[in-house]
Amino acid sequence: MEAGTNRMEGIIEEMVNEANHCNIFGKLNLMIAVPDKLYNPICIPVSDLRPISNMDKLLDYQDFMGWKIRRALGMRYPNINRNQDYRSLDLRALAQDRRNLTGPALKNIINRVLDEPVQDIPDDDDLPMMCYLIGLYMSTKFPTSYIRKIQIDAISHTCTLSNAYSDKIYTKNGGSWRQINENGTVTQLLKDQLV
């Protein structure tokens, strides 16, 4: 909460850029958008081979995000209410509080990318980053059907976001990002989904 939307933008961008190189969307999603999905190890990347329980890995992810926030704010330790009964906290409510902060930050980042000047040549390096941002934003917007997997196709310049129920395909064409169906027909501009 102390980071606020503006600082969260910078923190999220840094985390997405780091994750982009490691292909760890699920780990990022558990930190930023769906920290309450504790019992779904499908999102824990196979590359995280440490011999500890999934719950301990999830706690590590939250600690890592806390460290990123403290570093960005120049805080040594978080401000903690010593009188708080932590056993009474509702994880779903805390997760929604996080989404209330990270969702607008993600929306601002995506809008900033969409407002950048159009390049004639598709930038393959930006494709994974934008796919991650869209996936994270959709997970904050629809946490019950959060994005579990992202497939990036550099040849067709598309990314497919998969939740437990369906797939959504996004592509950049003529400088604008849009959702398309399997036939390539535009269903909606991404800008219109950022409400």
Side-chain angles (χ1 to χ4, degrees), residues 109-143:
I109 295 166
I110 294 170
N111 274 321
R112 207 170 44 247
V113 171
L114 294 176
D115 291 341
E116 289 176 354
V118 178
Q119 297 179 3
D120 294 333
I121 303 166
D123 190 352
D124 292 335
D125 293 336
D126 289 343
L127 179 66
M129 183 195 75
M130 191 62 164
C131 293
Y132 275 31
L133 290 170
I134 295 168
L136 291 168
Y137 177 74
M138 291 303 168
S139 290
T140 62
K141 194 171 176 184
F142 306 107

Side-chain angles (χ1 to χ4, degrees), residues 170 176-179 186-194:
Y170 289 87
S176 66
W177 278 88
R178 50 194 71 192
Q179 183 181 346
V186 175
T187 59
Q188 191 174 24
L189 293 175
L190 175 59
K191 192 102 172 149
D192 295 339
Q193 294 179 352
L194 300 175

